[in-house]
Amino acid sequence: MKSLLLKFSAIVLTLSLSSLSDTKQNEKKQSFQGKAYYLSKAKMNLGTWGARLTEGQKKEIEARLKNRLQKSYVLTFNKEESFFSEEDQLDAMSGATDSWGKNFAPGDQYKNVKTNSQIQNQEFYGKNFLVNDNLQPIEWVLGKETKQIGDYMCFKATASIPTNELTWFNFSWSKLRDSNPKETDTIQAESKAGEIAMTEVEAWYTPQIPVSHGPMEYWGLPGLILEVSAGETTMLCSKIVMNPEEKMEIKAPEKGTQVTKMEYQEIISKKMKEFRDNRSGRRRG
């Protein structure tokens, strides 16, 4: 009887210690928190059409598009999770929010590096979607170059990522290959069959903040990503607040129709094709 009581006591003690350990680990994870503020700047690319414009006209267009070319974001993070969201900005000319641009802009994004999961809230013409998928795999090449960003020493890393994987929330008319034959011919002439468009990415991360988080689709480095350049866009961290007094709860978005990234792309491509066909029909009528 005494032996059974001793065994029972040992089991209870083990469970208690295990529970205490889990609690401490969770508290440790939650206590290591931070907020990183980013400013994103994109170059205005007007293509061949822009060559016909005067410098004054280009400046006017740039002013009108300022809220799309320059955006502010906040990344809230702990050891395992992060939540990335855009700060609302008013249109530079009208004072209104950019409702059209929001249809093709990245929504609130939750990432969990432990479970390799990403959940992103996307609104497309008034309908909410929860895009639930794995984190974008990135094969980083770590460099030896360093530079100072604010108070943090950063190291350079580079990667080559399929462009479509970085812009899955956006829309391109080039994806609609099954509509106008002339359009299809143009698309095929612009890209060789079988080739995948790639984007060269340059990132700067700091081991002083030992988390694998970063803005947008970027993650997986041995330190927080403070700067990243891809294509025409550069995103730079302007401010970091570590372990704020007020504890932050990081939660994944919950409202919306659940889809994968590929399914979401199919949905918006189908809807945009309907818009175009309806518009063409009205013109012919």
Side-chain angles (χ1 to χ4, degrees), residues 101-275:
K102 282 185 175 293
N103 288 309
F104 307 110
D108 294 341
Q109 180 193 78
Y110 168 87
K111 292 201 290 275
N112 190 314
V113 297
K114 184 177 181 180
T115 61
N116 189 39
S117 60
Q118 174 179 314
I119 302 175
Q120 189 158 316
N121 178 260
Q122 289 295 132
E123 182 180 344
F124 184 69
Y125 284 98
K127 185 172 182 180
N128 283 318
F129 293 89
L130 274 183
V131 186
N132 195 335
D133 220 318
N134 292 331
L135 292 173
Q136 167 63 35
I138 303 176
E139 294 184 8
W140 293 106
V141 177
L142 304 184
K144 295 182 180 179
E145 294 178 60
T146 63
K147 73 173 180 179
Q148 193 81 11
I149 298 179
D151 296 329
Y152 299 91
M153 177 61 69
C154 296
F155 292 82
K156 183 179 177 180
T158 56
S160 185
I161 307 173
T163 303
N164 191 50
E165 297 297 333
L166 295 176
T167 58
W168 59 266
F169 47 81
N170 207 334
F171 170 78
S172 171
W173 290 110
S174 63
K175 294 177 182 178
L176 302 182
R177 299 183 179 217
D178 58 346
S179 50
N180 192 324
K182 292 183 179 179
E183 181 183 68
T184 304
D185 292 342
T186 303
I187 296 166
Q188 291 174 343
E190 290 177 349
S191 60
K192 296 179 181 179
E195 284 191 357
I196 298 176
M198 305 294 286
T199 295
E200 299 305 314
V201 178
E202 178 182 295
W204 293 87
Y205 67 95
T206 177
Q208 291 174 249
I209 306 178
V211 296
S212 296
H213 301 305
M216 301 289 287
E217 303 298 297
Y218 308 108
W219 71 288
L221 284 167
L224 180 67
I225 298 173
L226 298 191
E227 181 179 339
V228 61
S229 299
E232 301 291 326
T233 303
T234 296
M235 190 169 290
L236 177 64
C237 181
S238 59
K239 177 183 175 183
I240 297 175
V241 179
M242 290 301 301
N243 298 320
E245 291 184 7
E246 183 180 348
K247 297 305 177 184
M248 303 166 294
E249 186 177 11
I250 300 176
K251 294 180 64 177
E254 296 178 343
K255 295 181 180 180
T257 303
Q258 291 215 24
V259 292
T260 63
K261 292 177 184 177
M262 183 176 292
E263 289 169 340
Y264 183 74
Q265 286 185 320
E266 291 172 353
I267 289 169
I268 62 174
S269 293
K270 181 179 179 181
K271 182 57 67 175
M272 292 305 293
K273 183 177 183 298
E274 289 176 2
F275 287 159

